[in-house]
Amino acid sequence: MGKPVINKGLEGIYMTESRICKVDGKAGKLYYRGYPIEALARHSSFEETCYLILYGRLPTRKEFDRFDMLLKKERALPQGILDIIEETVGRADVMDILRTAVSALPAYDPDAYNKSKASEVRESVALISKLGSIVATIGRVSQGEPIVKPDLSLSHAGNFLYMLNGRRQGTEEARLLDTMLILHAEHSSNASTFSALVTGSTLSDLYAAVTSGIGTLKGPLHGGADSAALKMMNAIGRPENTERYINRALAGKQRIMGFGHRVYKTYDPRARIIKKDLESLQKHASKEVRRLTAIALRAEKMMVEKLGKTHNIWPNVDFFSGPVYTAIGIPEDLFTPLFAVSRVPGWCAHMIEYWEDNRLIRPLEYYTGKVDREYVPMGKRG
Ligand code: CMC
């Protein structure tokens, strides 16, 4: 048999059909269940978007209120999860703590291994709600502050900020965060969704699938790019250093984090929305946020001129996120965990959809090593 065609990184391979999300990489369009991302970012809330992603349609008022109440009921964390957080904060990366806490959740869910669709949806609601509480609590404990109980009168985004900072923040910050959550909620078969599907395709459970997704999201080529991009902006330091820094980085064959995408070969529509939000918050922004914004805008202009049209490398969702999160008061080590808080509805919806017609995911690899080697006992090896 000759060497088969190998699609490194599974590029260009369709592995399933899905009704959840369309990413049109040529036109720079993104749809959740048929709705353009721009409309959802402008008019929806994260909670409503979660309903849409999970159920495939927008809820009526009554359906929304019930769903919202179920989400709120799941916000509190069991003592065992709080203990894991307190034990591990400061000793491991926040994404590792989040992954560990999520993988321990079945211990507190008596119905965790029930494979009915109703139970999978219930677990999805629990995961969406609890991931927010877990990440906010990790952030709180990291600051050496006492744990804050959830406030059920607040939205998911508002409660996240409350549990993180111990005080109710302005509605503008909660709105900005809500938009960020919507923009990151779903993105077809990205690396973390794919790894969740690989885990679930063995007929493992939803908690295990989401745990796999978190492990995959951590890497700097995927969710970790948001904090890597902010680190770069801080390394640039002053806006006037931007061009020199980027030129040097590109000459040294370094990747500029927050640029490029496997599917988008044009401007990522999510990055456009985040950029607009960032520009509109400048009037009341701190000096630090204005500095980051100036660097980001100079870097974006330069990269678009240098690599946009010629190499199809454009800003992606992670590029402008750092300055926006900084404006909301979110520390850099929570950026990627917040990406997980946003993406959990996407992971769950894909898993539930895939289980409707499950097939074990098991690709091939082309072996290039030796065969029939002679086994030499250890004592006779040179
Ligand atoms: N800066 C400089 N050059 C780049 C970049 C970048 N950010 N991204 C790609 N390239 C170059 C790369 O060096 C390669 O050049 P050459 O052909 O000369 O070797 C060419 O473009 C193709 O790169 P690739 O890695 O084969 O392309 P890919 O489709 O596998 O990469 C990517 C997609 C996201 C991994 C890549 O663009 C990248 O590493 N970007 C930086 C990390 C990042 O921002 N990730 C977040 C992605 S969006 C959020 C998410 O959904 O996860």
Side-chain angles (χ1 to χ4, degrees):
M1 183 186 121
K3 187 174 173 178
V5 175
I6 293 177
N7 292 72
K8 204 75 196 289
L10 300 183
E11 182 166 2
I13 304 287
Y14 288 88
M15 57 150 291
T16 190
E17 289 181 12
S18 176
R19 300 176 303 279
I20 301 171
C21 177
K22 179 172 171 66
V23 182
D24 183 340
K26 260 195 192 155
K29 298 253 183 218
L30 170 62
Y31 305 87
Y32 297 169
R33 300 285 192 178
Y35 292 91
I37 191 65
E38 293 79 8
L40 294 171
R42 197 171 322 125
H43 303 298
S44 189
S45 62
F46 179 64
E47 290 87 330
E48 185 185 58
T49 299
C50 287
Y51 186 101
L52 171 69
I53 291 171
L54 283 176
Y55 292 96
R57 59 178 179 79
L58 290 170
T60 61
R61 164 57 59 195
K62 205 168 151 200
E63 287 166 338
F64 177 80
D65 288 345
R66 183 167 178 276
F67 183 70
D68 189 45
M69 189 258 300
L70 291 174
L71 279 170
K72 284 180 171 152
K73 268 170 96 174
E74 290 287 349
R75 269 185 196 162
L77 296 176
Q79 187 56 45
I81 300 295
L82 297 176
D83 292 344
I84 288 173
I85 295 173
E86 289 198 303
E87 176 64 21
T88 51
V89 159
R91 297 167 57 190
D93 184 276
V94 177
M95 284 297 276
D96 298 338
I97 300 173
L98 171 63
R99 197 193 59 226
T100 305
V102 169
S103 71
L105 284 175
Y108 308 95
D109 179 352
D111 219 17
Y113 309 119
N114 182 335
K115 301 295 284 179
S116 71
K117 188 162 176 185
S119 183
E120 285 154 6
V121 172
R122 182 195 57 76
E123 285 167 33
S124 303
V125 170
L127 279 158
I128 292 167
S129 186
K130 286 198 160 51
L131 253 81
S133 300
I134 292 171
V135 172
T137 303
I138 296 171
R140 186 84 186 141
V141 174
S142 303
Q143 299 163 35
E145 296 289 349
I147 291 171
V148 174
K149 287 208 168 82
D151 181 338
L152 302 195
S153 71
L154 296 171
S155 68
H156 194 66
N159 178 64
F160 179 90
L161 294 173
Y162 173 70
M163 288 181 74
L164 176 65
N165 296 322
R167 63 184 160 80
R168 284 169 173 242
Q169 261 170 274
T171 46
E172 184 53 17
E173 277 119 341
R175 191 202 62 78
L176 273 172
L177 179 57
D178 193 55
T179 306
M180 295 298 279
L181 295 175
I182 293 171
L183 294 176
H184 289 80
E186 164 51 15
H187 213 237
S188 76
S189 58
N190 56 88
S192 56
T193 301
F194 179 67
S195 76
L197 288 180
V198 172
T199 298
S201 82
T202 68
L203 298 185
S204 182
D205 56 85
L206 196 60
Y207 289 104
V210 169
T211 303
S212 293
I214 295 169
T216 306
L217 186 70
K218 180 184 175 189
L221 296 188
H222 188 9
D226 49 12
S227 59
L230 189 81
K231 278 196 177 86
M232 181 189 78
M233 291 171 202
N234 280 325
I236 290 173
R238 288 153 47 144
E240 56 272 28
N241 297 341
T242 309
E243 289 76 10
R244 190 160 37 107
Y245 183 100
I246 301 255
N247 271 328
R248 256 198 221 156
L250 289 176
K253 296 264 167 228
Q254 271 181 46
R255 284 181 184 226
I256 309 300
M257 292 294 147
F259 285 87
H261 200 276
R262 176 64 65 77
V263 184
Y264 291 119
K265 297 304 168 197
T266 183
Y267 217 110
D268 180 335
R270 302 166 299 174
R272 275 194 203 286
I273 298 170
I274 301 173
K275 181 183 171 191
K276 234 185 185 170
D277 272 354
L278 181 61
E279 285 172 332
S280 61
L281 63 78
Q282 291 306 303
K283 209 169 149 199
H284 303 290
S286 65
K287 217 169 141 194
E288 171 66 352
V289 171
R290 289 205 304 274
R291 176 185 72 85
L292 292 170
T293 307
I295 293 171
L297 292 175
R298 280 173 91 139
E300 180 227 18
K301 183 167 184 285
M302 187 183 172
M303 286 290 286
V304 165
E305 278 168 14
K306 261 184 165 297
L307 299 176
K309 291 208 174 87
T310 48
H311 293 75
N312 282 332
I313 294 173
W314 299 85
N316 62 48
V317 68
D318 288 321
F319 188 62
F320 295 108
S321 298
V324 171
Y325 286 142
T326 306
I328 305 172
I330 292 168
E332 186 214 299
D333 61 347
L334 295 191
F335 292 1
T336 313
L338 250 180
F339 196 153
V341 170
S342 327
R343 185 54 56 86
V344 68
W347 289 330
C348 293
H350 277 280
M351 202 61 265
I352 292 171
E353 183 187 62
Y354 193 80
W355 276 328
E356 284 170 9
D357 184 22
N358 189 73
R359 182 130 202 259
L360 177 74
I361 298 172
R362 202 303 187 190
L364 293 174
E365 60 183 27
Y366 183 64
Y367 178 67
T368 57
K370 296 175 181 170
V371 292
D372 290 337
R373 299 174 79 184
E374 189 189 346
Y375 182 85
V376 180
M378 202 179 282
K380 294 194 176 166
R381 290 175 210 158

